[in-house]
Amino acid sequence: MTAVAATRPRRRTRNSLNKESIVQAALDILNEEGIDGLSMRRIAEKLDCSVASPYSHFKSQQDIIKIIISQGEAQLTETLRASRLNGKNAYEKLTLIARAYYDFSGNNQELHKVMFNTVHGHMHRKAFPKLPTSYRVFLETIRAGVRSGEFQIKEEDYPSLARTMYSWMYGIIVLDMTGMLKKRGIGDPLDEGFLFFRKILLDKE
């Protein structure tokens, strides 16, 4: 045996891996290189193991992405619910969760792209066959404002308003990620929307 071979570090065996380490490696790659850089081969390189090793825990890369989406949704939902606690009333809570959602997308751009990108949208539906829990935070907050009498809309209208606000948030995030808002010289991209929703929710006819 040569000196080089004797000092060469051994590659990790599949028995030394677990699902958590594989998912974390995939998430690290996603954050560093984007979805195009993610592959089972790249995960194996990151973990210094054979390409076959990750397959002993996951059937495919899609199964790993599904877990990443699920964990991302849980993290986002927890963030939104925590931010809501600081609001003094329903409208303030709504602005706080919108701001938290915007900040989360900015701090986790590649993760957010995978969570809500239309290319991987079917993966999100597999991870969440029902409504995303992050959307439910918007829905619950608007419903509470309606039932308390703070919001001046009919109760049957609150689901459509929740969808509208959630869609607005997604649109703002996409425009910001593509640089469109900066090109138009828009300052705080949420202020304009907040004024619009304030009129709908608080102004009496």
Side-chain angles (χ1 to χ4, degrees):
M1 181 180 296
T2 64
V4 173
T7 57
R8 182 180 298 164
R10 287 186 174 184
R11 303 182 74 180
R12 293 181 62 173
T13 63
R14 66 182 65 188
N15 292 333
S16 68
L17 299 176
N18 54 45
K19 286 188 175 182
E20 290 74 17
S21 62
I22 294 171
V23 171
Q24 185 58 55
L27 183 59
D28 290 343
I29 295 167
L30 177 67
N31 290 330
E32 296 165 4
E33 305 174 28
I35 189 63
D36 291 337
L38 184 61
S39 67
M40 296 298 263
R41 181 175 295 278
R42 184 71 186 86
I43 292 172
E45 291 175 356
K46 186 83 172 178
L47 294 171
D48 192 25
C49 63
S50 69
V51 177
S53 293
Y55 284 105
S56 64
H57 295 277
F58 296 98
K59 292 181 179 179
S60 68
Q61 178 179 313
Q62 296 303 309
D63 288 340
I64 299 175
I65 293 175
K66 182 178 176 180
I67 292 178
I68 288 175
I69 291 173
S70 180
Q71 291 181 349
E73 181 69 21
Q75 181 183 352
L76 172 58
T77 301
E78 182 181 353
T79 299
L80 299 187
R81 286 180 173 155
S83 69
R84 187 172 59 180
L85 297 175
N86 297 317
K88 297 178 181 178
N89 52 56
Y91 179 74
E92 190 172 316
K93 289 178 180 179
L94 200 56
T95 60
L96 287 171
I97 63 174
R99 179 72 63 187
Y101 182 24
Y102 179 75
D103 291 342
F104 175 89
S105 69
N107 295 329
N108 303 274
Q109 288 194 16
E110 296 304 326
L111 172 60
H112 188 271
K113 289 177 185 177
V114 171
M115 288 170 62
F116 296 103
N117 190 292
T118 54
V119 175
H120 296 280
H122 67 289
M123 292 303 299
H124 196 285
R125 289 193 296 274
K126 288 181 179 179
F128 302 97
K130 297 182 179 181
L131 293 174
T133 52
S134 56
Y135 167 70
R136 287 182 180 276
V137 180
F138 282 88
L139 188 70
E140 293 165 1
T141 306
I142 295 176
R143 180 177 61 199
V146 171
R147 292 182 177 176
S148 70
E150 179 183 342
F151 293 164
Q152 305 301 308
I153 62 172
K154 297 178 181 178
E155 180 155 349
E156 59 264 29
D157 292 336
Y158 82 80
S160 60
L161 185 58
R163 288 192 295 271
T164 299
M165 190 170 192
Y166 197 71
S167 300
W168 162 70
M169 285 300 311
Y170 178 76
I172 287 291
I173 288 167
V174 171
L175 288 173
D176 192 34
M177 284 184 177
T178 55
M180 295 298 293
L181 297 181
K182 294 178 182 178
K183 289 180 181 179
R184 298 188 61 181
I186 297 176
D188 189 322
L190 301 186
D191 283 348
E192 185 178 51
F194 287 157
L195 289 174
F196 176 73
F197 284 107
R198 184 180 182 87
K199 291 180 180 179
I200 294 176
L201 293 168
L202 301 181
D203 289 355
K204 296 182 179 180
E205 295 182 359

